[in-house]
Amino acid sequence: MLACLCVHVTHTIHEHLNTPTQQFMWAYFARRILRNRILLLSLLGLATAFMGWQATTLKVSYGVPRLLPDNDSTYIAYQKFKERYGREGIVYVIGIHKDPLNDLALFNAWRSLGEKINAIEGVDTLVSVANNIFYIEKDTENKQFNIRPVVTSALANEQELDSIKKHVKSLKFFEGRLYNKETGANLMFATLDSSLFNSSKRSKVVMPLLDEIANFEKEQGMKVYVSGMAYVRTVMREMIKNEMIYFVFLALLVTVIILYLFFRTLPPVLASLIVVIIGVIWSLGSLPILGYELGILTGIVPALVIVIGVPNCVYLINKYHSEYRKHGNQALALSRMIEKIGSATMLTNATTAIGFITFIFTQSEVLKEFGVVASLNIMAIFFISLFTLPVIFSYMKPPAEKTTKHLDKVWLTGVLSLFVKGVTNGRRWVYLSVILLVLAGFLGVTLIETTGNMVDDLPKGHRVLHDLKFVEENFDGIMPFEISIDGKKPNSITKISTLKKIDELQDMISAYPEFSSAISIAEGIKFMKQGFYNGNPKKYQLLNNSEKAFFKPYIKNRKDKENLFKAYIDSNKQNTRVSFFMADIGTRKMDTLLTELKPRIDSIFPSAKYNVSMTGSSIVFLKGTTYLIKNLLISLGIAIGLVAIIMALFFAVWRMVLISMATNLFPLLLTAGAMGYLDIHLKPSTIIVFSIAFGISVDYTIHFLAKYRQELKASGWDIRHSVYAALNETGVSMIYTSIILFFGFSIFMTSDFGGTKALGMLVSLTLFLSLLSNLLFLPSMLLSLERALTTKAFKEPLIEVFDEEEDIDHERLKIGKDNGANIEKQETEEKRNT
């Protein structure tokens, strides 16, 4: 419908525009570029220097990426939760598999490690069975509770260790939280200063902490497990940060190798390198200008600029060499290089940019920034290549015969002849293959699973996964899961009836193997009651109505009574929280689990008396992942719609638009099917591939159909001849470009980060399939449908991509100070003669 509407509009305004205007426009650009070479080089140099200076101010993003928009209900609820109870702590979880309470030397070493970590600037609090563990003591004289440390110093002998062990084991509050009584595994929790951690100074906290852990491992000869959401994010962010530099250099290396294999001489390689290096500098400099930081996705933009910028150079250099080989005039070759390839290259860069710019519709800040930066720099690399290459080559000697030999690739001729044979004699097999592959693709799509784990992008065997597994097996997980309870009335939370409901809720949720033991006001009351009864572990239970009166003065007289439950209850005693940790079970399983929990929670806390909601970073992660997948599908639909509009403007026949879209949606379907067969889950890091690949692959169709239309004019509307001519001529550049893009995106497959690896593998696969689709499926349809497609509107479009048939007398055109004037003068004479 969208495409048809665009075609209608196209026909309406077509009479008022004509393509010669565009031809003169690009001829004008060519003259201006070649006439003002020194000025252009100066401006480009100043702009690049400015961008380089801006790049030095680039900051790395250390905060948590925000996946949900400001107006999302889950995000709003989470923000209110943090305002009421404070931010979730930046916690590093440090674990060992052996119980220090059974080994005196290990106990003292464990305590020493805790003291050293606690002394690091930026570590707020630290607790373990040997550090800062406390108990509640009843002061009967003053009728108040006092908090006392269990361990005050290193232990001297086994008798002291036995006494401490007995005391710690009696404190039921810490069972399952600091130690596992069955396996002997122990945890140490280090809470870090969030303002310091979420800044460039985080290394001053993290590195000394990890160094102390490494020393402990070496001295004790045992494995130490490090986990926690903060730690996992730190590791993943450092991996991505390091890979950005790695990918830039790897992309440059691959570019040099491929370009040299194509051109076999250094000048084209060096000129292309200059272009992409300028593009990299601009991409880094654009981030601080836009107010963005270097993050997970923006970090791969420099490498993308190289991968996408090199095909621009190949198209332009190929045209320059082929033109010079025709007539031997360098000035005309450079002019034609700009005039004839400029429009097509601008269009292909625009369609590629569309694949990225649609991410702004996701309402995710991370994807918005990525879309804006990538699309702007893709268009920037087009202008950089268009302005830089002609000027560089104008100062070089004309290409020698050996320099243009790459145009006579024998292997390319052989490959193209296979495509021609397939289109000529094997169209039935082409259509049969397409039908079978479409069916297989749809079947594969049904096998795709939608999921998302916090660490599923890390490689198998990574230490983070191994350490996380230890924590999940012994303590159920590290992802915060919160239940927020509003009693609707002041003092409603501290009622015995409400406390019993909270205890029932805790028992119900903790019965699931995915959840840890709870921390809540109910657990705090139990801990206090145990202290009231002189540490008797059997008294670790809720108060009854008769005991409440005895407890009241002890709580009231405590000096810091206002802070006793501050983190778990508000001042009006109307709102409270119940905190759990949970395993990283994936969004799909978690969604099922939450659906099951909701009615069970509502049965304990009826909505008439309580408002209960599930929140925490685990819920935000689930909703954010689901939200991104949904919105990325929408952005893909928008990209398809926008490309359909562009196709309608350039080809002005609704049947041609449909065939163009089918040609490019076919590879996307096959890639989606491959994901199902290869068990690659649908998640933000994989679904992002489709918008990117679609924007790039549609370039092939534009180049092919533009050349096809041009050949129609030249051959007197001979469709068969035009298809073969377009196949032979554009096929060379398409194969060149595919090789560059395939190997360019393949470098991302060397990543240790799963999302980046998926980007490389799936985009490379899609582009390869797109090449086959455009060199077999598209020309086959053009030949089979023939007259139904080649209407007058297709022959005379609204906008001309390029037209190479008109020529001028090039004998008088020379490169020199007035080369632009010479070209302009010659073309003016031709117009007058016409």
Side-chain angles (χ1 to χ4, degrees):
M1 179 66 69
L2 182 63
C4 294
L5 177 62
C6 293
V7 171
H8 176 72
V9 173
T10 297
H11 284 303
T12 302
I13 63 177
H14 180 264
E15 298 176 0
H16 303 286
L17 295 173
N18 51 54
T19 56
T21 301
Q22 296 172 68
Q23 297 170 14
F24 294 143
M25 179 185 72
W26 285 102
Y28 175 81
F29 285 156
R31 292 194 299 271
R32 290 291 170 243
I33 291 171
L34 294 174
R35 173 183 289 182
N36 302 290
R37 292 176 295 169
I38 296 177
L39 176 61
L40 277 177
L41 285 178
S42 301
L43 292 175
L44 187 64
L46 289 173
T48 304
F50 174 73
M51 287 294 194
W53 172 70
Q54 285 291 324
T56 62
T57 66
L58 180 60
K59 297 179 180 179
V60 178
S61 174
Y62 292 100
V64 180
R66 183 150 61 88
L67 303 180
L68 293 172
D70 294 337
N71 59 354
D72 183 81
S73 58
T74 300
Y75 179 76
I76 293 171
Y78 183 54
Q79 291 301 112
K80 289 181 178 179
F81 175 85
K82 290 194 295 183
E83 290 173 5
R84 179 173 291 145
Y85 301 110
R87 292 179 175 272
E88 292 174 341
I90 305 296
V91 180
Y92 269 41
V93 181
I94 305 159
I96 52 176
H97 64 273
K98 190 175 180 181
D99 192 350
L101 295 170
N102 293 329
D103 187 321
L104 178 62
L106 178 59
F107 183 91
N108 287 330
W110 189 237
R111 175 177 171 79
S112 176
L113 173 64
E115 289 178 335
K116 291 175 181 177
I117 291 176
N118 206 18
I120 297 172
E121 182 184 359
V123 177
D124 287 342
T125 59
L126 182 139
V127 63
S128 73
V129 295
N131 306 88
N132 303 320
I133 189 172
F134 60 91
Y135 67 98
I136 294 178
E137 182 183 68
K138 180 178 65 173
D139 182 352
T140 54
E141 182 179 348
N142 297 310
K143 291 189 179 296
Q144 68 179 29
F145 288 125
N146 295 316
I147 293 179
R148 304 296 187 194
V150 175
V151 184
T152 57
S153 63
L155 305 185
N157 51 55
E158 294 291 341
Q159 289 76 18
E160 289 185 3
L161 178 63
D162 289 340
S163 176
I164 293 296
K165 177 181 178 180
K166 184 179 179 180
H167 197 175
V168 171
K169 297 292 185 180
S170 71
L171 300 173
K172 296 297 183 180
F173 180 82
F174 298 104
E175 183 180 310
R177 298 182 178 92
L178 291 182
Y179 66 91
N180 185 316
K181 66 178 182 179
E182 296 176 355
T183 66
N186 264 251
L187 292 183
M188 178 184 292
F189 290 89
T191 305
L192 312 184
D193 181 352
S194 60
S195 62
L196 195 64
F197 184 81
N198 292 324
S199 71
S200 59
K201 297 180 181 179
R202 76 162 59 191
S203 60
K204 294 182 180 180
V205 183
V206 175
M207 294 311 297
L209 187 151
L210 296 179
D211 288 342
E212 293 295 347
I213 292 173
N215 292 335
F216 179 88
E217 283 184 316
K218 185 177 180 181
E219 293 170 1
Q220 298 301 313
M222 69 164 56
K223 163 74 175 174
V224 177
Y225 303 88
V226 185
S227 195
M229 287 191 68
Y231 172 71
V232 172
R233 288 198 301 264
T234 299
V235 172
M236 295 175 73
R237 195 170 298 280
E238 288 301 313
M239 288 172 58
I240 295 164
K241 178 182 171 184
N242 294 334
E243 284 188 349
M244 185 202 76
I245 301 172
Y246 163 75
F247 284 134
V248 168
F249 283 103
L250 186 58
L252 288 173
L253 177 62
V254 170
T255 295
V256 169
I257 293 173
I258 293 176
L259 287 175
Y260 188 77
L261 290 175
F262 279 170
F263 296 116
R264 298 289 182 176
T265 54
L266 284 179
V269 177
L270 294 177
S272 300
L273 270 180
I274 291 172
V275 169
V276 295
I277 288 174
I278 293 173
V280 168
I281 294 172
W282 281 40
S283 67
L284 293 174
S286 64
L287 286 170
I289 290 176
L290 295 169
Y292 300 155
E293 295 179 338
L294 189 67
I296 292 176
L297 290 176
T298 52
I300 67 174
V301 171
L304 283 175
V305 166
I306 296 173
V307 172
I308 295 171
V310 170
N312 290 345
C313 299
V314 171
Y315 274 118
L316 290 166
I317 294 172
N318 271 349
K319 185 61 181 175
Y320 170 53
H321 286 173
S322 63
E323 282 292 329
Y324 185 78
R325 175 185 268 191
K326 285 181 183 178
H327 44 66
N329 187 298
Q330 187 180 14
L332 181 61
L334 291 172
S335 178
R336 285 287 177 82
M337 170 186 180
I338 300 167
E339 291 178 45
K340 309 308 176 186
I341 299 299
S343 179
T345 308
M346 184 179 71
L347 177 59
T348 55
N349 277 255
T351 55
T352 301
I354 284 173
F356 290 90
I357 199 63
T358 53
F359 294 145
I360 66 173
F361 298 104
T362 62
Q363 296 183 353
S364 165
E365 292 301 319
V366 177
L367 285 172
K368 275 185 179 180
E369 291 179 7
F370 177 56
V372 170
V373 173
S375 56
L376 287 178
N377 281 283
I378 286 169
M379 294 310 300
I381 195 67
F382 158 71
F383 288 107
I384 292 170
S385 58
L386 187 70
F387 293 152
T388 305
L389 288 176
V391 174
I392 290 176
F393 285 120
S394 72
Y395 286 106
M396 292 182 178
K397 292 180 179 179
E401 183 179 349
K402 66 176 183 178
T403 305
T404 59
K405 280 186 177 180
H406 67 89
L407 299 172
D408 302 320
K409 296 293 184 184
V410 177
W411 68 271
L412 267 181
T413 305
V415 170
L416 286 174
S417 66
L418 293 177
F419 285 113
V420 171
K421 288 180 181 178
V423 171
T424 305
N425 303 318
R427 287 204 295 277
R428 291 183 180 178
W429 291 106
V430 171
Y431 297 140
L432 179 62
S433 299
V434 168
I435 292 171
L436 293 175
L437 288 173
V438 166
L439 294 175
F442 278 116
L443 178 61
V445 169
T446 63
L447 302 176
I448 295 179
E449 293 186 8
T450 301
T451 187
N453 292 71
M454 182 177 65
V455 295
D456 61 357
D457 280 333
L458 289 174
K460 293 181 179 179
H462 195 280
R463 172 172 177 166
V464 166
L465 299 179
H466 185 251
D467 291 6
L468 177 61
K469 185 178 180 180
F470 166 83
V471 177
E472 290 183 344
E473 288 178 348
N474 290 280
F475 300 95
D476 299 310
I478 61 169
M479 295 186 68
F481 177 81
E482 303 279 354
I483 304 290
S484 179
I485 303 170
D486 178 3
K488 295 187 176 180
K489 295 179 181 179
N491 300 312
S492 57
I493 294 300
T494 54
K495 290 181 179 179
I496 297 297
S497 59
T498 302
L499 291 174
K500 287 181 178 180
K501 289 179 180 294
I502 293 174
D503 195 42
E504 182 183 356
L505 172 71
Q506 294 176 173
D507 292 341
M508 183 268 290
I509 293 180
S510 295
Y512 287 87
E514 296 86 358
F515 292 97
S516 69
S517 300
I519 301 177
S520 69
I521 184 176
E523 294 301 302
I525 295 294
K526 293 178 185 179
F527 193 26
M528 292 174 64
K529 180 175 177 179
Q530 181 181 356
F532 183 82
Y533 287 100
N534 301 314
N536 184 354
K538 293 182 180 180
K539 294 297 183 178
Y540 187 77
Q541 54 190 226
L542 288 175
L543 300 174
N544 55 44
N545 287 321
S546 61
E547 290 172 323
K548 187 174 182 181
F550 293 105
F551 264 71
K552 192 172 183 179
Y554 284 88
I555 298 175
K556 184 178 180 180
N557 294 335
R558 193 171 185 277
K559 294 179 180 179
D560 58 346
K561 59 181 181 295
E562 293 181 358
N563 296 321
L564 189 59
F565 297 116
K566 183 178 179 181
Y568 285 86
I569 190 171
D570 66 353
S571 58
N572 294 327
K573 300 177 184 178
Q574 178 178 320
N575 295 277
T576 190
R577 64 191 278 199
V578 183
S579 303
F580 300 85
F581 285 108
M582 68 178 299
D584 184 23
I585 58 176
T587 54
R588 183 177 181 181
K589 186 176 180 181
M590 188 173 177
D591 192 36
T592 302
L593 189 59
L594 295 180
T595 303
E596 182 180 334
L597 283 175
K598 185 66 168 65
R600 298 189 67 183
I601 293 173
D602 291 342
S603 68
I604 298 172
F605 291 95
S607 58
K609 293 184 178 181
Y610 302 93
N611 289 325
V612 181
S613 61
M614 293 177 283
T615 186
S617 53
S618 57
I619 302 294
V620 173
F621 177 79
L622 165 68
K623 183 67 180 291
T625 302
T626 306
Y627 181 87
L628 280 185
I629 291 174
K630 177 183 177 182
N631 281 268
L632 283 169
L633 287 171
I634 293 173
S635 73
L636 176 60
I638 293 172
I640 292 171
L642 291 175
V643 171
I645 291 174
I646 292 177
M647 290 292 191
L649 291 173
F650 279 86
F651 301 121
V653 179
W654 67 268
R655 298 184 189 91
M656 193 66 73
V657 173
L658 293 178
I659 285 179
S660 302
M661 301 310 294
T663 302
N664 290 284
L665 292 176
F666 172 61
L668 297 186
L669 174 63
L670 296 187
T671 300
M675 288 174 61
Y677 293 120
L678 298 174
D679 196 30
I680 300 175
H681 294 174
L682 193 66
K683 52 187 177 180
S685 58
T686 54
I687 198 171
I688 195 176
V689 166
F690 294 100
S691 293
I692 295 173
F694 180 77
I696 297 174
S697 63
V698 76
D699 299 349
Y700 300 148
T701 305
I702 292 173
H703 276 285
F704 186 93
L705 291 180
K707 183 62 183 175
Y708 169 64
R709 187 174 61 207
Q710 171 204 315
E711 289 294 334
L712 281 175
K713 291 182 180 180
S715 63
W717 317 114
D718 186 333
I719 295 174
R720 188 168 297 271
H721 166 80
S722 301
V723 169
Y724 294 145
L727 190 60
N728 279 296
E729 181 161 334
T730 60
V732 174
S733 293
M734 288 164 65
I735 292 174
Y736 267 25
T737 304
S738 294
I739 292 173
I740 294 169
L741 290 173
F742 181 85
F743 286 104
F745 277 100
S746 293
I747 67 172
F748 295 117
M749 294 173 62
T750 63
S751 171
D752 288 330
F753 189 67
T756 311
K757 185 178 292 186
L759 174 72
M761 180 177 67
L762 295 176
V763 171
S764 297
L765 174 63
T766 308
L767 293 177
F768 174 73
L769 294 171
S770 178
L771 176 69
L772 296 181
S773 181
N774 279 279
L775 291 182
L776 282 174
F777 186 36
L778 177 60
S780 294
M781 286 190 292
L782 291 174
L783 289 174
S784 296
L785 298 176
E786 291 192 356
R787 301 295 175 184
L789 295 176
T790 313
T791 65
K792 181 180 179 182
F794 178 72
K795 298 173 185 177
E796 300 177 6
L798 172 65
I799 301 175
E800 184 72 74
V801 180
F802 58 80
D803 183 351
E804 302 185 33
E805 298 313 309
E806 95 278 9
D807 205 349
I808 62 174
D809 182 8
H810 54 261
E811 293 299 327
R812 294 184 294 177
L813 300 181
K814 306 291 181 184
I815 285 289
K817 293 182 179 179
D818 59 345
N819 60 299
N822 287 335
I823 296 173
E824 186 173 13
K825 180 179 178 182
Q826 182 65 31
E827 290 181 347
T828 301
E829 290 178 1
E830 286 196 346
K831 292 175 190 176
R832 185 181 300 115
N833 293 336
T834 301

